Amino acid sequence: MQIESIYHQPYDQYAFSIDDKTYRLRVRTKKEDCSVVELYYGDPFKFQDSVWQTESVLSMHLAFSTELFDYWEVDVSPPNKRMKYLFRLKNGQKSIFYGEGGFSNDFNPHDQSNCFTLAFLHKNNFISPPEWVSKTIWYQIFPDRFASGNNLNNPKNSIPWGSTQPTSSSYFGGDLEGIIQKIDYLKQLGISGIYLTPIFEANSNHKYDTINYFKVDPAFGDEKILKKLIDKCHENNIYVMLDAVFNHTSASFPPFQDALINGKSSAFYEWFHFFRDDNNKQSYETFSFVNEMPKLNTENKEVQKFLLEIGSYWIKEFDIDGWRLDVANEIDHYFWKLFNQKMKEDKKDLFIVGEIWHHAMPWLRGDEFDSVMNYPLMKSLLAYFAYQTIPTLQFQYSINELISQYPLPVIKGLFNVLGSHDTPRILTQCNHNEKRVILLYVFLFTFFGTPCIYYGDEIGLQGGNDPECRSCMVWDESKYNLTIFDSIKKLILIRKKYSVLENDGEFKWYDCGLNPNILMYERRNNQFHFLIIINNSNDQQSIQIPINLNGKRMTNLWNQQQFAAESSSIAIDLSPTDFFILHIEDTDVSQQT
Amino acid sequence: MQIESIYHQPYDQYAFSIDDKTYRLRVRTKKEDCSVVELYYGDPFKFQDSVWQTESVLSMHLAFSTELFDYWEVDVSPPNKRMKYLFRLKNGQKSIFYGEGGFSNDFNPHDQSNCFTLAFLHKNNFISPPEWVSKTIWYQIFPDRFASGNNLNNPKNSIPWGSTQPTSSSYFGGDLEGIIQKIDYLKQLGISGIYLTPIFEANSNHKYDTINYFKVDPAFGDEKILKKLIDKCHENNIYVMLDAVFNHTSASFPPFQDALINGKSSAFYEWFHFFRDDNNKQSYETFSFVNEMPKLNTENKEVQKFLLEIGSYWIKEFDIDGWRLDVANEIDHYFWKLFNQKMKEDKKDLFIVGEIWHHAMPWLRGDEFDSVMNYPLMKSLLAYFAYQTIPTLQFQYSINELISQYPLPVIKGLFNVLGSHDTPRILTQCNHNEKRVILLYVFLFTFFGTPCIYYGDEIGLQGGNDPECRSCMVWDESKYNLTIFDSIKKLILIRKKYSVLENDGEFKWYDCGLNPNILMYERRNNQFHFLIIINNSNDQQSIQIPINLNGKRMTNLWNQQQFAAESSSIAIDLSPTDFFILHIEDTDVSQQT
């Protein structure tokens, strides 16, 4: 047994609560190195004649594997909500105990110090995004480019809607009134949440350089129009998330100008990170190397107060439902904990999403963010479905890797994107192959998480990196890519009809070893059973479904095709990039007998 | 190369700041599996022609090893306080890159997503206990048993001082006035901090069952006497830490009685964890299975407010310097974060120590506790010095294991104990061998952390587990074990004279493979250089010092014996349980030439 590979810790992704009395424990072993893993556990204080009294041993199941590791899981509801525990790992005749104290051949009920400890399961141990999030379909809007509802507020230098490809400095006059006018469109698409990139006063078209955090940019409208937008959205059961740029401001932000001009005598000098550069000239920390974006000193008490006020203001006065936090990883954890406490106090079920492109466990422990933008998922999805640069098994490993990195409740709340204002358009990524775009959405809408469509992706907008990916929304339906548009609409309908395709129940791969071009996975809860089968190849594929479906009725929800299995095995044919969203039901009992 | 063993994460014990511009990075490899480990790093935003520009490569050094793993470290001060990075691991001809994206053969400067990220080094990233803590010698007092200064406040049923061994219910009349009278004693011993087990009104002699959190137990005195004690301590540069029992109360705590009697109609019903047991009888969660100690519901807002008020009250009104938190692991993290924020607001350099017996990283991230009681260290020390059940190499591994589990600044603040009111007396643990007790203190006072003496251990009190370990302090000097007492005094003097023996500088083992009975380690900073050599065997040992000491002058600070090395090698003889605290100095330059 390769003991150096064995890993567990009694917190984060290795031990988390899945309800108010149950822990899910995870232990990692080298791939295919252990055949049995068991959990020995008991109340930390239950002794008889100084011998620790454990409960009956639980068997762990092999939940998933990555390229290097197997991950074993078990759910356990300890009496009195507390436990000490050890794992027993077996490989053939060899068996070893593993606990906080390391490895040993025997279980010693006289020495608890070798055990891991979960001291008490508090309700607030249960990390989970607000309940509504698990059922939301998001739509990201870049306001200058989505819809113009009022030409009077267009910036002076704005150019006619869609007349050219955007540059980094072009304005097209999109605004909040435009969004209001398109609520019906969003509604019909099936959207239940919109995320707006920044709308506060700024110098740029993207507005990631805030000048006034308490004012809607005049090019987008005003506070009254924002209120109307949010109210209308709420009437239509659409949640609204705004973008908070707290890492940096615009260089035109008045406190920065004050500090820049007055130096140390400015009341705002400590709001930023001024320093002397190598030539003894005054300099300051910025976002990236952008002098136009001076970095805020979020360790400063006044800055903290100021930013918390902003956070509260738009919740209390405008009833927003979420904050997306720009460049969230470059701000200190202490501030984010204050932010979380204050915002959740203001609105218990506020959704907080950090922009973090990398692994983000330290922000997702329940006391900072509910979620992060899930770019690692995007990377895997693109490699498999769009570029076809990784085989099916590699793709499954990458998804399992993601699952291994977070507690399941976190996975269920991740903000899943196929792209954003910071990446090329999805149809462009797919080399204009609309079938591959649809496969991406099939996965997105049948997997855990809270999925988001970047405006225009649903009608087939194209373009490379910024600024190309920020072109104007097309409102002429004759120019829609209807294959994509109708597919997304249909997929959203299917996801919304069956919560098991959202975040209810479990997710499980089926081995497609027999045909490496096929991706197959199950979504299942007590009520529903789905099998998703995707042909990711450019060739026709025939497969046998590796489940005994005898006596079951199956419906491919994509085309309503029904079929019944008359033997234990069933064969299906899939055209290139074809897929099945198979709803599996028991046939009527009377028919069975 | 065994890649499954390779581990790093960009947080906690694997990446931490050691000052306001420097990160210490750690990477783990299988023992003796890699020969070279390097760090590739650069500013996340520094590109030229879309090629990421890294800084020059840094070589990592093998910092320490455990039984299974090697740990490599490097200190790095990235320009602009931010970095993305990869490790390159080599073994002979084989070389591999390791980053967040996994393992690869090549370095790809076009894809940063394989890198680990440290997004910005904030000052408050630097987790560190208050500065005074690193120089403090603690003394734990169990007030009923330390000294009686006022017989008038003795409990009615108290028995004459030291007249018998204590039982779990005996009272001896120790009090705060008694402590005041013994400040000179503590001062002469070299103590600079006292930790008092609970002093608030309670039904027991140990007072871990609080009835009134705002009142000093009458058997110990009153608020006025406590104020006098704290003021006198401060006049004598002695810090004072009190014990907060927030996990549970006494069943006599009035809100609990109210809830017990009035059930759901009580305003305090939600302050506890009431539930219906299997027989549908009202029950409640307790500490362990002790009905006398009902568990508080620290998720309740009013309970939080109440406990924070207690925390603040004794700081603001009495100027205490620390809170030791009883059963800290059974209280939720959310509460401890609130507690930390409020207490540090009240007193910036308050010391917060949690009672946690197991690995405690989740509480030591800088936002909950500064420190925990270091029972794992005690376990290692006892096994090696007291019981001699593990060989030297195993002991070193166990200390390295401890070092591997926390950021170094956390290690420097751990509350290191050889025992407490919850463990047998140290002389008893050593089977009455006072020489072994002294070796334990030699290590304790020359290692990282903030060491604590349990009252009476310094004069050789004996006794097994509670209640035996809580016997009355002996004030008749003729009954002191002077060998122990004088040794501890001397060791404290040495530690206080050389901050390098406290928490300045580095700690490094010397290989004692040539003589497995000898423990040898270095403490060193820019100014001082010490070598501690301990013969842990019961036999005479002769060793060669494995350092070139040519031209150095050495003083064994234990006995002021001086000697100069005249050749590159120097041999020393050690009697059984003998030790050297060698202060190594350059000889005068004029003498050298």
Side-chain angles (χ1 to χ4, degrees):
Chain A
M1 214 179 296
Q2 195 182 91
I3 60 173
E4 294 91 347
S5 307
I6 298 169
Y7 192 72
H8 173 77
Q9 60 189 19
Y11 50 92
D12 288 350
Q13 64 270 50
Y14 285 92
F16 48 88
S17 50
I18 53 170
D19 60 41
D20 61 4
K21 57 180 190 299
T22 310
Y23 286 110
R24 177 162 295 178
L25 303 183
R26 209 176 252 179
V27 64
R28 189 191 84 174
T29 60
K30 178 180 154 74
K31 180 90 153 285
E32 292 168 7
D33 194 39
C34 291
S35 48
V36 173
V37 181
E38 295 169 333
L39 178 74
Y40 283 61
Y41 74 106
D43 190 289
F45 300 100
K46 203 167 167 187
F47 286 87
Q48 200 158 5
D49 304 328
S50 76
V51 174
W52 181 40
Q53 303 295 300
T54 53
E55 304 286 326
S56 59
V57 174
L58 293 182
S59 181
M60 300 185 73
H61 73 281
L62 177 56
F64 55 90
S65 301
T66 61
E67 191 160 359
L68 298 178
F69 300 108
D70 287 337
Y71 290 86
W72 305 77
E73 291 186 343
V74 69
D75 293 344
V76 53
S77 303
N80 308 308
K81 304 188 177 184
R82 60 197 184 201
M83 61 193 277
K84 284 195 175 271
Y85 58 102
L86 290 164
F87 300 102
R88 184 181 200 179
L89 304 110
K90 297 181 189 172
N91 179 353
Q93 292 306 303
K94 199 173 152 63
S95 140
I96 198 160
F97 284 92
Y98 168 52
E100 185 168 295
F103 299 92
S104 59
N105 289 322
D106 303 302
F107 172 63
N108 177 2
H110 293 276
D111 184 5
Q112 281 191 329
S113 73
N114 286 325
C115 292
F116 292 108
T117 308
L118 285 164
F120 194 84
L121 198 163
H122 290 91
K123 287 198 191 79
N124 64 12
N125 277 139
F126 181 46
I127 299 162
S128 176
E131 204 170 323
W132 60 267
V133 169
S134 73
K135 300 192 168 301
T136 300
I137 310 281
W138 292 93
Y139 191 84
Q140 179 186 346
I141 292 174
F142 192 86
D144 186 58
R145 310 293 157 77
F146 180 62
S148 176
N150 177 2
N151 284 330
L152 297 179
N153 62 15
N154 284 7
K156 267 184 289 188
N157 50 351
S158 64
I159 42 183
W161 194 258
S163 56
T164 64
Q165 282 301 308
T167 68
S168 62
S169 59
S170 42
Y171 289 89
F172 288 91
D175 53 29
L176 301 184
E177 187 61 47
I179 304 174
I180 292 172
Q181 292 170 11
K182 299 302 181 185
I183 288 177
D184 281 346
Y185 169 83
L186 297 173
K187 192 82 189 153
Q188 278 160 32
L189 183 56
I191 298 306
S192 44
I194 56 174
Y195 147 43
L196 308 184
T197 58
I199 58 168
F200 307 139
E201 193 182 28
N203 278 330
S204 63
N205 53 32
H206 54 68
K207 313 226 177 285
Y208 280 103
D209 51 342
T210 317
I211 295 173
N212 186 343
Y213 289 90
F214 291 99
K215 187 178 173 191
V216 170
D217 192 285
F220 290 171
D222 58 20
E223 285 74 67
K224 217 172 123 187
I225 295 168
L226 176 65
K227 187 81 184 91
K228 184 174 150 199
L229 168 62
I230 295 171
D231 289 347
K232 286 250 175 205
C233 282
H234 287 175
E235 280 164 29
N236 286 282
N237 301 313
I238 293 173
Y239 293 88
V240 180
M241 179 160 70
L242 297 187
D243 203 326
V245 187
F246 287 173
N247 177 65
H248 53 266
T249 67
S250 165
S252 306
F253 178 57
F256 179 72
Q257 281 302 317
D258 190 283
L260 197 66
I261 292 162
N262 299 313
K264 286 186 182 167
S265 65
S266 164
F268 302 105
Y269 185 78
E270 293 294 334
W271 279 41
F272 301 91
H273 297 267
F274 286 102
F275 63 89
R276 293 268 150 196
D277 70 11
D278 295 344
N279 303 319
N280 201 29
K281 275 187 64 181
Q282 176 171 268
S283 188
Y284 52 89
E285 304 282 357
T286 62
F287 168 69
S288 180
F289 294 101
V290 184
N291 288 332
E292 174 51 32
M293 295 180 172
K295 182 170 170 62
L296 272 167
N297 177 9
T298 50
E299 296 190 67
N300 179 281
K301 296 279 171 214
E302 288 169 41
V303 172
Q304 290 168 358
K305 194 163 163 275
F306 176 71
L307 297 178
L308 294 179
E309 268 168 20
I310 297 162
S312 290
Y313 175 75
W314 298 99
I315 294 171
K316 287 185 177 167
E317 303 296 325
F318 295 85
D319 199 21
I320 66 166
D321 306 293
W323 275 120
R324 183 264 190 190
L325 307 169
D326 190 53
V327 202
N329 60 338
E330 298 185 24
I331 293 175
D332 62 291
H333 288 287
Y334 184 86
F335 173 74
W336 286 135
K337 287 185 217 304
L338 294 181
F339 183 78
N340 182 292
Q341 284 167 15
K342 184 74 178 72
M343 297 307 111
K344 299 277 179 174
E345 211 177 284
D346 292 339
K347 189 165 190 169
K348 197 168 183 285
D349 65 347
L350 187 87
F351 186 41
I352 301 177
V353 184
E355 185 204 15
I356 298 189
W357 291 59
H358 51 78
H359 176 59
M361 191 68 241
W363 292 267
L364 293 169
R365 288 175 176 137
D367 54 356
E368 298 189 23
F369 310 154
D370 296 305
S371 178
V372 289
M373 295 186 74
N374 196 357
Y375 286 111
L377 174 70
M378 181 190 82
K379 189 185 174 193
S380 297
L381 292 177
L382 292 179
Y384 183 61
F385 291 112
Y387 316 144
Q388 292 178 271
T389 47
I390 55 171
T392 301
L393 191 63
Q394 203 64 33
F395 172 67
Q396 292 176 307
Y397 286 158
S398 73
I399 297 296
N400 289 351
E401 188 79 39
L402 177 71
I403 291 174
S404 79
Q405 289 177 355
Y406 298 112
L408 183 62
V410 168
I411 295 286
K412 291 182 174 183
L414 290 178
F415 199 78
N416 291 348
V417 296
L418 298 178
S420 72
H421 61 293
D422 285 330
T423 64
R425 287 278 177 187
I426 192 64
L427 184 53
T428 305
Q429 300 270 32
C430 289
N431 200 20
H432 322 297
N433 182 332
E434 63 199 17
K435 291 286 186 64
R436 300 217 151 266
V437 171
I438 294 164
L439 291 191
L440 282 158
Y441 282 104
V442 168
F443 191 87
L444 196 74
F445 288 128
T446 56
F447 188 59
F448 291 132
T450 190
C452 183
I453 299 165
Y454 179 51
Y455 85 94
D457 275 356
E458 77 279 14
I459 57 162
L461 286 194
Q462 301 195 44
N465 264 316
D466 165 23
E468 287 183 26
C469 58
R470 301 175 181 184
S471 62
C472 288
M473 179 67 181
V474 171
W475 291 109
D476 175 353
E477 285 181 37
S478 71
K479 291 180 178 158
Y480 286 13
N481 182 323
L482 285 175
T483 313
I484 295 177
F485 187 71
D486 292 340
S487 298
I488 289 181
K489 264 173 84 167
K490 200 198 285 189
L491 284 167
I492 291 176
L493 274 176
I494 294 171
R495 180 175 174 94
K496 285 170 125 177
K497 185 165 178 190
Y498 298 98
S499 66
V500 66
L501 295 175
E502 297 170 338
N503 293 294
D504 277 1
E506 301 283 340
F507 170 90
K508 183 184 164 188
W509 296 113
Y510 272 93
D511 188 6
C512 45
L514 296 173
N515 187 331
N517 299 293
I518 300 293
L519 186 74
M520 197 183 317
Y521 52 95
E522 181 181 82
R523 298 300 312 272
R524 192 172 200 163
N525 62 11
N526 293 332
Q527 206 182 349
F528 294 107
H529 186 190
F530 278 84
L531 197 65
I532 290 93
I533 308 169
I534 299 174
N535 176 9
N536 192 45
S537 79
N538 302 318
D539 305 303
Q540 174 91 9
Q541 303 292 338
S542 298
I543 61 149
Q544 298 279 329
I545 295 181
I547 312 178
N548 186 340
L549 295 166
N550 207 354
K552 304 279 186 184
R553 182 175 51 222
M554 284 156 292
T555 312
N556 180 357
L557 293 187
W558 186 246
N559 55 18
Q560 296 305 321
Q561 184 192 0
Q562 292 207 358
F563 38 114
E566 307 215 338
S567 70
S568 63
S569 174
I570 185 167
I572 58 170
D573 292 318
L574 295 104
S575 316
T577 65
D578 195 9
F579 59 92
F580 282 64
I581 301 176
L582 271 187
H583 180 202
I584 301 171
E585 296 166 286
D586 285 331
T587 48
D588 195 299
V589 176
S590 62
Q591 289 179 320
Q592 277 182 17
T593 51
Chain B
M1 215 180 293
Q2 195 182 93
I3 60 173
E4 295 90 347
S5 307
I6 298 169
Y7 192 72
H8 173 77
Q9 60 189 21
Y11 50 92
D12 288 351
Q13 63 271 51
Y14 284 92
F16 49 88
S17 50
I18 53 169
D19 60 41
D20 61 5
K21 58 179 189 300
T22 310
Y23 286 110
R24 177 162 294 180
L25 303 183
R26 209 176 253 179
V27 64
R28 190 191 83 174
T29 60
K30 178 180 154 74
K31 181 89 151 285
E32 292 168 9
D33 194 38
C34 291
S35 49
V36 173
V37 181
E38 294 169 333
L39 178 74
Y40 283 61
Y41 74 106
D43 189 290
F45 301 100
K46 202 166 168 188
F47 286 87
Q48 199 158 5
D49 304 328
S50 76
V51 173
W52 181 40
Q53 304 295 299
T54 54
E55 304 286 326
S56 59
V57 174
L58 293 182
S59 182
M60 301 185 72
H61 73 281
L62 177 55
F64 55 91
S65 300
T66 60
E67 191 160 359
L68 298 178
F69 300 108
D70 286 338
Y71 290 86
W72 304 77
E73 290 186 343
V74 70
D75 294 343
V76 53
S77 302
N80 308 307
K81 303 189 177 184
R82 61 199 183 200
M83 63 194 277
K84 284 196 176 270
Y85 59 103
L86 290 163
F87 301 102
R88 184 181 200 178
L89 304 110
K90 296 181 189 172
N91 179 353
Q93 292 308 303
K94 199 173 152 62
S95 140
I96 198 161
F97 284 92
Y98 168 53
E100 185 168 295
F103 299 92
S104 59
N105 289 323
D106 302 303
F107 172 63
N108 178 1
H110 295 276
D111 184 5
Q112 280 192 329
S113 73
N114 285 326
C115 293
F116 293 108
T117 307
L118 284 164
F120 193 84
L121 199 163
H122 289 92
K123 288 199 190 79
N124 64 11
N125 277 139
F126 181 47
I127 300 163
S128 177
E131 205 171 323
W132 60 269
V133 169
S134 74
K135 302 192 168 299
T136 300
I137 310 281
W138 292 93
Y139 190 84
Q140 179 187 347
I141 292 175
F142 191 87
D144 186 58
R145 310 293 157 77
F146 180 63
S148 176
N150 177 2
N151 285 329
L152 296 178
N153 62 15
N154 284 7
K156 266 184 291 189
N157 50 351
S158 64
I159 43 184
W161 194 258
S163 57
T164 64
Q165 282 301 306
T167 69
S168 61
S169 59
S170 43
Y171 290 88
F172 289 91
D175 52 29
L176 302 185
E177 187 61 48
I179 303 174
I180 292 172
Q181 292 170 12
K182 300 301 180 187
I183 288 177
D184 280 347
Y185 169 82
L186 297 173
K187 193 84 189 150
Q188 279 161 32
L189 182 56
I191 298 306
S192 44
I194 56 174
Y195 147 42
L196 308 184
T197 59
I199 59 168
F200 307 137
E201 191 182 29
N203 279 330
S204 62
N205 53 32
H206 54 68
K207 314 228 177 285
Y208 280 103
D209 51 342
T210 318
I211 296 172
N212 186 342
Y213 288 89
F214 290 99
K215 187 178 173 191
V216 170
D217 193 286
F220 289 170
D222 58 21
E223 285 75 67
K224 217 173 122 185
I225 295 168
L226 177 65
K227 188 81 184 92
K228 184 174 150 198
L229 167 62
I230 294 171
D231 289 347
K232 286 249 175 206
C233 281
H234 287 175
E235 279 164 29
N236 285 282
N237 301 314
I238 294 173
Y239 293 89
V240 180
M241 179 161 70
L242 298 186
D243 203 326
V245 188
F246 287 173
N247 177 65
H248 53 267
T249 67
S250 164
S252 306
F253 178 56
F256 180 72
Q257 281 301 315
D258 190 284
L260 196 67
I261 292 162
N262 298 313
K264 286 185 182 168
S265 65
S266 165
F268 301 104
Y269 185 78
E270 293 295 334
W271 280 41
F272 301 90
H273 296 268
F274 286 102
F275 62 89
R276 292 269 151 194
D277 69 12
D278 295 342
N279 303 318
N280 200 29
K281 276 186 66 178
Q282 177 172 269
S283 188
Y284 52 89
E285 304 283 357
T286 62
F287 168 69
S288 179
F289 293 101
V290 184
N291 287 333
E292 174 51 31
M293 294 180 172
K295 182 171 170 63
L296 272 168
N297 177 10
T298 49
E299 297 190 67
N300 180 281
K301 295 277 171 215
E302 288 169 42
V303 171
Q304 290 168 0
K305 193 163 164 276
F306 176 71
L307 298 178
L308 294 180
E309 269 168 20
I310 297 162
S312 291
Y313 175 75
W314 298 99
I315 295 171
K316 288 184 175 168
E317 303 295 325
F318 296 85
D319 199 22
I320 66 167
D321 306 293
W323 274 120
R324 183 264 190 189
L325 307 169
D326 190 53
V327 200
N329 61 338
E330 298 185 23
I331 292 174
D332 61 292
H333 289 287
Y334 184 86
F335 173 73
W336 287 134
K337 287 186 217 308
L338 294 181
F339 183 78
N340 183 292
Q341 285 168 14
K342 183 73 178 73
M343 298 308 110
K344 299 277 179 173
E345 211 177 282
D346 292 339
K347 188 165 190 168
K348 197 166 182 284
D349 65 346
L350 187 86
F351 186 41
I352 301 177
V353 184
E355 184 204 15
I356 299 189
W357 290 59
H358 50 78
H359 177 59
M361 191 67 242
W363 291 268
L364 293 169
R365 289 177 176 135
D367 54 354
E368 298 189 21
F369 310 155
D370 295 305
S371 177
V372 289
M373 295 186 73
N374 196 356
Y375 285 111
L377 174 70
M378 179 189 82
K379 189 185 173 191
S380 298
L381 292 177
L382 291 179
Y384 182 61
F385 292 111
Y387 317 144
Q388 292 178 272
T389 47
I390 55 172
T392 300
L393 191 63
Q394 203 64 34
F395 172 67
Q396 292 175 308
Y397 286 157
S398 74
I399 296 296
N400 289 351
E401 188 78 40
L402 177 71
I403 291 174
S404 79
Q405 288 177 357
Y406 297 112
L408 184 62
V410 169
I411 295 285
K412 291 182 173 183
L414 289 177
F415 198 79
N416 290 347
V417 296
L418 298 178
S420 71
H421 60 293
D422 285 330
T423 65
R425 286 278 178 188
I426 193 64
L427 184 53
T428 305
Q429 300 269 32
C430 289
N431 199 21
H432 322 297
N433 182 332
E434 64 199 15
K435 292 284 187 65
R436 300 218 150 266
V437 171
I438 293 164
L439 292 191
L440 282 158
Y441 282 104
V442 169
F443 191 86
L444 196 74
F445 288 128
T446 57
F447 188 59
F448 292 131
T450 189
C452 183
I453 298 165
Y454 179 52
Y455 85 94
D457 275 356
E458 78 279 14
I459 56 161
L461 286 194
Q462 301 196 44
N465 265 316
D466 165 24
E468 286 183 27
C469 58
R470 301 175 181 184
S471 61
C472 288
M473 179 67 181
V474 171
W475 292 109
D476 175 353
E477 285 182 36
S478 72
K479 291 180 178 158
Y480 286 13
N481 181 321
L482 285 175
T483 313
I484 295 177
F485 186 71
D486 292 339
S487 298
I488 289 179
K489 265 173 82 167
K490 200 198 286 188
L491 285 166
I492 291 175
L493 275 176
I494 294 171
R495 181 175 174 92
K496 285 169 126 177
K497 185 164 177 190
Y498 298 97
S499 67
V500 67
L501 294 175
E502 297 171 337
N503 292 294
D504 277 2
E506 301 282 341
F507 171 90
K508 182 184 164 188
W509 296 112
Y510 272 92
D511 188 6
C512 46
L514 295 174
N515 187 331
N517 300 294
I518 300 292
L519 187 75
M520 199 185 314
Y521 52 95
E522 181 182 82
R523 297 301 311 273
R524 192 171 199 162
N525 61 12
N526 293 333
Q527 205 182 350
F528 295 108
H529 186 190
F530 278 84
L531 197 65
I532 291 94
I533 308 169
I534 299 175
N535 175 9
N536 192 46
S537 79
N538 302 317
D539 306 304
Q540 174 91 9
Q541 303 291 338
S542 297
I543 61 150
Q544 299 277 330
I545 294 181
I547 312 179
N548 186 340
L549 296 167
N550 207 353
K552 304 280 185 182
R553 182 174 52 221
M554 285 156 289
T555 313
N556 180 358
L557 293 187
W558 187 247
N559 55 19
Q560 296 306 321
Q561 184 191 359
Q562 290 208 359
F563 38 114
E566 308 214 339
S567 70
S568 63
S569 174
I570 184 166
I572 58 170
D573 292 317
L574 296 103
S575 317
T577 64
D578 196 8
F579 59 92
F580 282 64
I581 300 176
L582 271 187
H583 181 201
I584 302 171
E585 296 165 286
D586 285 331
T587 48
D588 195 298
V589 176
S590 60
Q591 289 180 318
Q592 278 182 19
T593 51

